[in-house]
Amino acid sequence: MTVSTIEAIYAEVLRRNPAEKEFHQAVREVLESLEPVLARHPEYTELKTVQRICEPERQIIFRVPWADDRGEVQINRGFRVEFNSALGPYKGGLRFHPSVYLGIIKFLGFEQVFKNALTGMPIGGGKGGSDFDPKGRSDAEIMRFCQSFMTELYRHLGEYTDVPAGDIGVGGREIGYLFGQYKRITNRYESGVLTGKGLGWGGARVRTEATGYGAAFFAEEMLAARGSSLDGQTVVVSGSGNVAIYAIEKVTQLGGRAIACSDSSGYVVDERGLDLDLLKQIKEVERGRLSEYTERVRHARHVTGGSVWDVPCTVAVPSATQNELDGEAAQTLLRNGLVAVSEGANMPSTPEAVKLFLAAGIAYGPGKAANAGGVATSALEMQQNASRDRWTFEHTEARLRDIMRDVHASCAAAAEEYGDPGNLVLGANITGFVRVADAMHAHGLV
Ligand code: NDP
């Protein structure tokens, strides 16, 4: 397959999916990696494997009506894109954020297909969510929204069909309400239908921590391959949600000094190292804003607006949202002595930023590899649900660490095999693609 064929496939994706710029970006990044693998495997071209992978197996869009605390009717839109089931049931989170539309869900679902393949676990790829904005909503409103959302979604789910989890705006509380409604409608205690459940009712230890921990483990693997480690590194993490908090925790345990994190209003810098207990109290317990950190830690400073990437560091762990780290931020980071980026978020670096990181030869771990620990641990949760078993924290964390080591090793080996050692973007895309493509071929034209 030639470059012009890949361009033709991309042009077709643009034509068939108009105005979905995040989806276009995610597809382009994968297609750019595939030329060498397609040159070696003519069957992928003959069977139009790339074109088939770019087309979701099923897309569901639905109305989510609910009443707010004043009794006013609200209407949101729900989505579930069941992208690819070659390796197992569709698996991927739900995002509740006002920016959500089909293009965001499709980009996330597409990434998820390759990420899940990279974990080596038997899971396909999907993603869902809603344009619902949970900010400022009461518990009762969140519950009513989740119940209405699940009242449509339940018919598309099942432990062997489609297994959602959390993402931005969907954490343990929301998974609880969603599971309760699923159980009520179906009259089945089907633990394996959702992951990220509470520890008292089918959840797995380490699932809450898994994405952030995994991103830290991935950074450690990348640095080890270069004869270095996280020990003594100065780390900046964007976001202050689930992924960010546990990335900070693990980075710190591995000897790094995490000095800054952010939310959508600004960022906090604490040169003595972020106080994790306080962060958890503000974000997880009080559901407050990050600016409250400096009210309690006088030596720290809060910057409203601005970019957290202006804070000098040697390791960056972007853990907020897509396209939050652009070319200008990448230049600033590189000027300040950056040696590694491990992406906790999905597609947080713009294409320009990725090019700059690769050209500079620093260790760059793309999200579909570096944040795969979350979904991998979700698969471990499904495994425990299926066997009615419950593992210890230590055992589960050891499995997570092994999986992250394996993800890194597979990506590094593919990068080497295809002639660009150290390029983990190439390595991740090729490894994920080949695993999914080969399973699709085995299943015939379905
Ligand atoms: P949370 O909702 O727990 O936290 C999101 C954080 O990012 C918050 O601090 C939020 O700030 C900030 N943020 C969100 N949107 C924006 C925005 N548009 N601009 C600036 N800041 C923003 O989500 P998670 O931690 O679960 O997810 C973070 C990222 O990690 C996402 O890209 C997600 O897809 C990815 N991811 C998550 C996994 C998981 O297991 N949870 C698994 C793999 C990837 P504010 O509160 O102000 O909105």
Side-chain angles (χ1 to χ4, degrees):
M1 181 173 289
T2 61
V3 174
S4 64
T5 322
I6 287 182
E7 283 303 329
I9 294 175
Y10 183 63
E12 187 65 3
V13 168
L14 293 184
R15 192 189 65 76
R16 288 169 65 82
N17 307 275
E20 295 176 359
K21 62 182 194 309
E22 295 84 1
F23 179 53
H24 302 160
Q25 184 183 335
V27 169
R28 171 136 216 127
E29 192 232 78
V30 169
L31 292 186
E32 280 174 356
S33 300
L34 293 185
E35 203 204 325
V37 79
L38 297 177
R40 268 194 220 179
H41 294 274
E43 71 275 17
Y44 296 149
T45 307
E46 280 154 29
L47 296 169
K48 297 201 172 162
T49 313
V50 182
Q51 292 92 320
R52 279 199 279 153
I53 280 187
C54 291
E55 183 69 22
E57 288 176 16
R58 192 174 297 109
Q59 307 181 53
I60 303 144
I61 303 179
F62 52 100
R63 181 173 66 199
V64 189
W66 57 285
D68 67 19
D69 284 347
R70 292 172 306 171
E72 206 169 297
V73 171
Q74 302 282 342
I75 297 152
N76 287 100
R77 188 170 290 172
F79 301 90
R80 187 72 183 166
V81 174
E82 298 180 334
F83 224 109
N84 194 298
S85 61
L87 296 179
Y90 309 107
K91 182 86 198 88
L94 298 172
R95 174 176 293 191
F96 292 169
H97 193 272
S99 63
V100 164
Y101 76 107
L102 189 59
I104 295 259
I105 300 299
K106 274 164 76 176
F107 118 64
L108 289 165
F110 185 75
E111 290 279 295
Q112 196 83 44
V113 173
F114 303 95
K115 178 191 314 195
N116 293 5
L118 281 174
T119 67
M121 310 296 284
I123 41 179
K127 199 85 187 187
S130 174
D131 57 359
F132 171 68
D133 186 358
K135 267 202 198 99
R137 290 295 178 189
S138 70
D139 258 8
E141 289 176 317
I142 301 279
M143 182 178 75
R144 285 198 295 277
F145 176 80
C146 288
Q147 289 176 340
S148 181
F149 185 83
M150 186 53 95
T151 300
E152 169 59 32
L153 190 64
Y154 88 95
R155 70 190 84 245
H156 308 288
L157 306 184
E159 63 179 310
Y160 297 110
T161 309
D162 186 349
V163 183
D167 191 82
I168 291 177
V170 178
R173 171 180 59 168
E174 292 73 19
I175 294 292
Y177 295 145
L178 292 164
F179 183 73
Q181 185 72 349
Y182 182 86
K183 181 170 73 64
R184 187 180 195 194
I185 297 174
T186 61
N187 193 28
R188 283 165 65 85
Y189 205 108
E190 201 182 325
S191 299
V193 75
L194 285 168
T195 58
K197 298 182 292 296
L199 290 182
W201 44 277
R205 295 193 174 95
V206 192
R207 177 59 190 91
T208 303
E209 296 84 353
T211 309
Y213 276 23
F217 288 145
F218 199 85
E220 186 77 346
E221 289 300 316
M222 291 193 295
L223 289 165
R226 291 160 181 253
S228 177
S229 77
L230 272 173
D231 194 25
Q233 305 283 357
T234 304
V235 183
V236 168
V237 178
S238 62
S240 49
N242 171 263
V243 178
I245 284 180
Y246 292 97
I248 292 168
E249 182 161 283
K250 187 50 71 181
V251 154
T252 309
Q253 288 170 9
L254 292 171
R257 195 166 52 96
I259 57 162
C261 66
S262 64
D263 63 12
S264 53
S265 315
Y267 62 92
V268 154
V269 186
D270 185 343
E271 293 289 349
R272 295 183 199 169
L274 291 162
D275 180 337
L276 198 61
D277 289 339
L278 178 58
L279 267 182
K280 286 184 184 173
Q281 174 66 25
I282 294 172
K283 300 306 290 191
E284 293 183 342
V285 181
E286 299 167 17
R287 296 180 187 277
R289 303 302 297 160
L290 192 56
S291 50
E292 293 162 35
Y293 186 96
T294 44
E295 288 163 18
R296 301 183 216 179
V297 178
R298 288 290 165 201
H299 62 258
R301 67 190 163 91
H302 180 263
V303 178
T304 304
S307 166
V308 72
W309 307 120
D310 289 342
V311 180
C313 63
T314 53
V315 174
V317 188
S319 305
T321 194
Q322 65 277 350
N323 292 326
E324 51 154 313
L325 197 169
D326 61 12
E328 200 183 319
Q331 275 168 347
T332 306
L333 284 163
L334 290 167
R335 235 187 351 261
N336 287 337
L338 188 76
V339 297
V341 179
S342 186
E343 293 185 337
N346 285 309
M347 208 168 76
S349 307
T350 63
E352 195 191 352
V354 176
K355 281 200 180 79
L356 287 165
F357 292 146
L358 291 176
I362 62 152
Y364 170 68
K368 62 170 78 70
N371 70 38
V375 74
T377 309
S378 276
L380 300 180
E381 182 173 333
M382 292 162 73
Q383 193 175 330
Q384 290 167 77
N385 293 148
S387 59
R388 308 256 188 271
D389 199 0
R390 196 173 155 79
W391 303 348
T392 63
F393 194 95
E394 292 70 27
H395 175 69
T396 319
E397 191 184 2
R399 287 284 310 265
L400 169 63
R401 184 149 202 169
D402 284 349
I403 291 168
M404 295 315 294
R405 198 169 281 145
D406 190 55
V407 171
H408 176 266
S410 309
C411 296
E416 183 110 21
E417 184 187 339
Y418 284 91
D420 195 355
N423 183 341
L424 299 178
V425 175
L426 188 82
N429 288 338
I430 289 181
T431 306
F433 174 80
V434 169
R435 288 181 186 172
V436 175
D438 288 352
M440 286 172 72
H441 288 187
H443 297 162
L445 192 54
V446 292

